[in-house]
Amino acid sequence: MILKSQVEWALHCCAILAGLPDGRYLSTKALAELHGLPKEYLSKALQSLSQAGLVHTTLGPSGGYRLAKAPAELTFLDVVEAVEGKGRTFVCQNIRANNPCRPKDYCESGSCAIARIMWEADEAWRTALRKVTFADLGKTLEQEIDPGIWAGTFDWVLKRAG
Amino acid sequence: MILKSQVEWALHCCAILAGLPDGRYLSTKALAELHGLPKEYLSKALQSLSQAGLVHTTLGPSGGYRLAKAPAELTFLDVVEAVEGKGRTFVCQNIRANNPCRPKDYCESGSCAIARIMWEADEAWRTALRKVTFADLGKTLEQEIDPGIWAGTFDWVLKRAG
DNA sequence: GAATTAAGGATACATGATATCCCTATTTTG
DNA sequence: CAAAATAGGGATATCATGTATCCTTAATTC
Ligand code: SF4
Ligand code: SF4
């Protein structure tokens, strides 16, 4: 059970978009170059973000993506769920219904303890991701990243932003 | 990202084994019949439990599986990790190294904020699973399951336990 | 009108999950 | 001792999903 690499890509792209000045857009091409990723495939991840309403897009030259909300309103969970889906990681096949000791067509009284426990763990994971916004991430990155690279990347992005 | 169905199978099998009297063993065949699962494939899941040291096995007629520890010492996380592996669900491809603004062979100072946040969420998931033991589960199931089915299943299992 | 862009359909490929079959060594049963 | 039953594990087939590329269309900018 491993998250798709598109999750990582989407998180990085949102981190960049979160640093973009208001009203500017950054294209798939620029984001792909910046991260060394296949442009066409990265595009699918960005489309997922778009379908989830997390980013806003414009067409034509100087078009591309920007965040649809303020970085403080966008959580890691938003991005992860946009790419990976909102489904639970534990899916119940209801194998208890195969128990030969049960009367046929016995009606279950809701979800069982095993499924509930697994789903609670799922929810703990989601809660942890919901707590972190891209404003939080921006602050941390600014402290941790080499200032030269930070500034250089910022310039690089601005030059290519429409 | 969905857990393998073997996780569900292994959890159910451990739930049954946790109710087994001391010194008794239950075979793959019995566990497969009880849950309506393909015997040969369920066997792989049980082998994972065995390799992780969670169950003890004996060969020959009347052989099979029993828990290696007391139910109160066996956690959901033990079983999930035995089947699904102990690896993190977020794997970092280090795509920041592709940033064209970086000097070549720039040495990263440890793991970045994005990866740390994802790994912390992972850890929250594991913590939730580590909190629940099969003694806890047993108590819940005893309260929730129809007493007739509960007793009938217990008898069924005892008849087939070596 | 030409260039650039997001969106999305079609397709191929790789990987991992699911499932079955078969063989071996070990242990109980008779 | 012989037969039956068991866990363990290798080999293989099948299917779903993730990864990746290519191409077309519609919208936008210049
Ligand atoms: S016992 Fe729970 S987890 Fe197992 S099959 Fe039934 S509902 Fe699903
Ligand atoms: S920035 Fe973090 S998550 Fe992204 S590639 Fe680097 S280490 Fe991995």
Side-chain angles (χ1 to χ4, degrees):
Chain A
M1 192 199 48
I2 289 186
L3 290 167
K4 332 192 212 203
S5 54
Q6 286 201 346
V7 170
E8 186 182 2
W9 302 357
L11 289 171
H12 278 82
C13 288
C14 286
I16 295 292
L17 295 181
L20 213 54
D22 273 3
R24 310 288 296 276
Y25 289 81
L26 198 59
S27 72
T28 306
K29 194 179 167 206
L31 287 166
E33 281 177 23
L34 184 58
H35 297 115
L37 301 173
K39 193 189 97 176
E40 310 280 349
Y41 191 33
L42 172 62
S43 171
K44 305 293 182 186
L46 298 173
Q47 283 172 38
S48 297
L49 297 180
S50 177
Q51 286 167 1
L54 305 184
V55 296
H56 184 252
T57 70
T58 49
L59 288 177
S62 86
Y65 298 86
R66 69 167 169 82
L67 292 191
K69 332 180 192 180
E73 303 301 318
L74 183 68
T75 70
F76 267 55
L77 183 63
D78 291 329
V79 176
V80 170
E81 283 191 336
V83 173
E84 194 69 37
K86 301 200 177 196
R88 301 181 185 273
T89 65
F90 180 85
V91 296
C92 166
Q93 315 279 147
N94 208 35
I95 63 176
R96 66 176 167 176
N98 299 328
N99 185 333
C101 307
R102 297 199 166 208
K104 246 197 246 174
D105 298 334
Y106 175 78
C107 182
E108 319 290 348
S109 55
S111 60
C112 81
I114 292 183
R116 284 204 312 274
I117 290 162
M118 293 303 291
W119 291 340
E120 277 165 24
D122 239 71
E123 201 46 48
W125 178 72
R126 288 182 154 78
T127 298
L129 292 178
R130 196 164 16 227
K131 273 184 199 152
V132 186
T133 73
F134 279 81
D136 302 330
L137 177 65
K139 279 178 213 151
T140 306
L141 289 179
E142 193 167 1
Q143 288 170 3
E144 290 187 359
I145 293 186
D146 177 299
I149 297 179
W150 177 268
T153 304
F154 193 74
D155 285 349
W156 189 97
V157 165
L158 275 192
K159 259 182 219 147
R160 283 160 184 79
Chain B
M1 192 200 46
I2 288 186
L3 291 167
K4 333 192 212 203
S5 54
Q6 285 201 348
V7 170
E8 186 182 4
W9 303 358
L11 289 171
H12 279 80
C13 288
C14 286
I16 295 293
L17 294 181
L20 213 54
D22 273 4
R24 311 288 296 275
Y25 290 80
L26 197 59
S27 71
T28 306
K29 194 179 167 206
L31 287 166
E33 280 177 24
L34 184 58
H35 297 115
L37 300 173
K39 194 189 96 179
E40 312 279 350
Y41 192 33
L42 172 62
S43 171
K44 305 294 182 186
L46 297 173
Q47 282 173 38
S48 297
L49 297 179
S50 176
Q51 285 166 2
L54 305 184
V55 295
H56 184 252
T57 70
T58 50
L59 288 177
S62 85
Y65 297 86
R66 67 168 171 81
L67 293 190
K69 332 179 191 179
E73 304 300 319
L74 182 67
T75 70
F76 266 56
L77 183 63
D78 291 330
V79 175
V80 170
E81 283 191 336
V83 172
E84 195 68 37
K86 301 201 177 196
R88 302 183 185 272
T89 65
F90 180 86
V91 296
C92 167
Q93 316 278 148
N94 208 34
I95 64 176
R96 67 176 166 176
N98 299 328
N99 186 333
C101 308
R102 296 197 166 209
K104 247 197 251 180
D105 298 333
Y106 174 79
C107 184
E108 319 293 347
S109 56
S111 60
C112 82
I114 292 183
R116 284 203 313 273
I117 291 163
M118 294 303 291
W119 291 340
E120 278 166 22
D122 239 72
E123 202 45 50
W125 178 72
R126 288 182 152 79
T127 298
L129 292 178
R130 197 165 15 227
K131 274 184 198 153
V132 187
T133 72
F134 279 82
D136 302 330
L137 176 65
K139 280 178 211 150
T140 306
L141 289 180
E142 194 166 1
Q143 289 170 3
E144 291 187 357
I145 292 186
D146 176 300
I149 297 179
W150 176 269
T153 304
F154 193 73
D155 286 349
W156 189 97
V157 165
L158 276 192
K159 262 182 216 143
R160 282 160 186 78

